[in-house]
Amino acid sequence: MSTPHPNIVVMKFGGTSVEDATAIQRTLSIVKTRRDQGLQPVVVVSAMAKVTDTLLAAAAAASHNDSEKALSLSFDLRRRHLDAAEELVGRRAIGALAHELHQKFDALDDLLRGVSAVGELTPRTNDLVVSFGERLSSILVAHAFEHRGLSAAHVDARTCIVTDSHFGKAAPQEAIIEARLSEHVLPLVAAGAIPVLGGFIGANAEGITTTLGRGGSDYTAALVGGGLHAGAIEIWTDVNGIMTSDPRVVPEALRVRTISFEEAAELAYFGAKVLHPATILPAVQKNIPVWVLNSRNAANEGTRITAIAPHCKSPFKSIAAKKRLTIIDIVASRMLMSHGYLKSVFEIFDRYKCPIDMVSTSEVSISVTVDSNEQVPAICAELSKIADVKFEGRKALICLVGEDIRGQNGISGRVFSAVSHINVRMISQGASEINMSFMIEEDDVDEAIRSLHRAFFQSPDESVFDVAALAEVAH
Ligand code: ASP
Ligand code: MG
């Protein structure tokens, strides 16, 4: 194993943390704090908020030969980046930065004209178009740091993040990435500079631009942190971290100080959208702690995600809800559940590429939960050829997550007595053994979550939950 660098902290800033000059200033002071603490920051930035969506729209317009629309979207982006640049470094110092930004936008416009001329957009070209978001934001941020006396060094992420050629969702090649980081990033850190890289983008072995998939900047941060054997990775977003529940529903919801990777993964699946845990796997595997922090509230300690959860006196870490679900009841009226019957049922869902959330079966019936979507009636029409089918929308799944429920008897009893006044449809204790979920009416979600929160977070474990913050609010 190569040398660990416990002093390096990889700091990833999402789109809202670099959305305009004000946000970039905030980012800058956060990075400065870390440097002043004697740490060595390596910065990874997303594209400015909404830029990726706009670039995708421009590429799509160009593919329909609408060069006018594509170029006008690109022009809006050019204005936005130059406005932010001017606000950050001032009109007098903007020369070199403006030149660099204009060059990039000229190249983007040429590309969009090319796509419009042929009216064809390959995944490879789409990746090239969308890569401009992070290439531009990283240049802008590096210049802004430099201008404010933070010695920064822009690094084109494509020189380090080597991937396969699966355009749109390329797989990183970790061993090569580690070597590239040692070559291009470590010397900068050793010289006292702060490397600034765009997230999300990479290149294949031939140097052709690729991307890691939507939301891929977290992935870049984990790859950079893992490859450098950094001491910590910080994901700076616009929330205080992972909470025991949605604070809009439960005002007394608490910040979770530490959560395991597995718990965070379960929660993400059930709609807690802070980050997609699969993307931080390269860091977790190397035991590098990942923090989720709020760039609008930098004093807050955030949530620490670790490979192994510390012991917690409360059985659950968090309660989440997934709404807009439909439940489909399939009753095999004529044939009892014969061999191959389940297969033919699931094949229909498969044909519509409709993922299933939860399944429960009896001898003659199957109940299946899916995201409500316009395909449900068509799926049910097909199912009705082999069964009696009923479907009902406006359902929700409540999900309680916590490693400490493993092997604990009596937990489900406590859960269901907390919601005994609510009509519960389907119950499942996930195979992962760290989540319990059940289905209710969408209208009952808020009441169910509040009751469960009251039942399970009455006397929270102070080593795991931020109880002090709540006491402050109460004063
Ligand atoms: N800019 C990319 C996206 O919006 C990657 C990221 O922000 O993580 O998906
Ligand atoms: Mg993101």
Side-chain angles (χ1 to χ4, degrees), residues 129-192:
V129 170
V130 87
S131 74
F132 277 90
E134 271 73 8
R135 285 156 69 194
L136 290 156
S137 65
S138 55
I139 290 171
L140 186 57
V141 167
H143 272 83
F145 282 15
E146 195 67 39
H147 184 75
R148 302 273 156 151
L150 266 186
S151 137
H154 180 252
V155 175
D156 189 329
R158 295 171 299 174
T159 61
C160 297
I161 306 299
V162 179
T163 69
D164 67 6
S165 300
H166 194 305
F167 297 103
K169 206 174 178 44
Q173 305 192 330
E174 291 186 42
I176 307 177
I177 291 173
E178 184 163 338
R180 295 287 184 91
L181 289 165
S182 301
E183 189 186 335
H184 299 293
V185 173
L186 274 183
L188 297 169
V189 176

Side-chain angles (χ1 to χ4, degrees), residues 351-417:
R351 223 178 302 134
Y352 286 85
K353 295 198 174 22
C354 177
I356 292 168
D357 276 306
M358 205 194 236
V359 183
S360 80
T361 58
S362 76
E363 242 159 284
V364 291
S365 74
I366 314 168
S367 295
V368 166
T369 316
V370 298
D371 268 326
S372 302
N373 63 49
E374 59 281 9
Q375 292 183 324
V376 168
I379 293 172
C380 289
E382 289 234 15
L383 286 169
S384 63
K385 291 177 195 157
I386 54 170
D388 289 334
V389 184
K390 273 199 325 255
F391 68 93
E392 234 181 289
R394 298 186 52 75
K395 298 287 177 281
L397 209 51
I398 300 287
C399 165
L400 300 100
V401 171
E403 301 241 16
D404 293 82
I405 63 170
R406 273 200 177 106
Q408 270 204 43
N409 296 322
I411 283 290
S412 50
R414 281 179 65 193
V415 169
F416 294 112
S417 67

Side-chain angles (χ1 to χ4, degrees), residues 254-306:
L254 302 160
R255 175 172 58 88
V256 185
R257 291 175 192 275
T258 48
I259 196 161
S260 75
F261 173 75
E262 247 188 284
E263 290 168 333
E266 290 284 339
L267 282 173
Y269 179 71
F270 286 95
K273 284 190 210 70
V274 180
L275 85 171
H276 201 293
T279 63
I280 61 163
L281 198 56
V284 173
Q285 283 166 338
K286 291 184 172 134
N287 255 314
I288 302 173
V290 177
W291 295 84
V292 177
L293 295 153
N294 187 353
S295 66
R296 293 169 198 276
N297 180 16
N300 192 283
E301 286 166 27
T303 298
R304 179 183 166 147
I305 303 172
T306 52

Side-chain angles (χ1 to χ4, degrees), residues 337-348 359 361 365-366:
M337 294 257 243
S338 58
H339 176 74
Y341 185 71
L342 281 176
K343 182 163 178 255
S344 48
V345 166
F346 289 121
E347 257 167 12
I348 294 173
V359 183
T361 58
S365 74
I366 314 168

Side-chain angles (χ1 to χ4, degrees), residues 12 14-15 45-48 50-53 133-134 199-200 213-219:
K12 181 263 173 175
V45 292
S46 286
M48 295 169 90
K50 309 257 161 65
V51 168
T52 304
D53 290 333
E134 271 73 8
F200 177 57
R214 291 306 304 268
S217 295
D218 294 341
Y219 203 177

Side-chain angles (χ1 to χ4, degrees), residues 36-50:
D36 294 346
Q37 290 165 343
L39 295 167
Q40 298 171 301
V42 173
V43 173
V44 173
V45 292
S46 286
M48 295 169 90
K50 309 257 161 65

